[in-house]
Amino acid sequence: MFYTELFWAMRMRQREMDWKDSRGALFLVMPEKEAGRVIGTVSLSNINRGVFQGCHLATTSTTRTRARA
């Protein structure tokens, strides 16, 4: 299911709600010369905006991208 359009549509809807509620943010990493090709993501979740401001940070990248690093 991970590679289906339905999965990503549902995931993006959930991330949009997280963004609107200031609970999280998802950023897509794309190369400048290949618009539309996602090579990774950066995700902020469990955002805490109290006295202590913090969040969880997660990153992902494609296998081909990791091989170049």
Side-chain angles (χ1 to χ4, degrees), residues 46-55:
N46 299 323
I47 294 176
N48 182 344
R49 297 199 184 263
V51 175
F52 168 77
Q53 295 202 19
C55 68

Side-chain angles (χ1 to χ4, degrees), residues 29-52:
V29 180
M30 295 182 260
E32 282 186 38
K33 296 180 182 179
E34 297 179 60
R37 181 171 162 250
V38 178
I39 61 172
T41 63
V42 176
S43 176
L44 304 176
S45 62
N46 299 323
I47 294 176
N48 182 344
R49 297 199 184 263
V51 175
F52 168 77

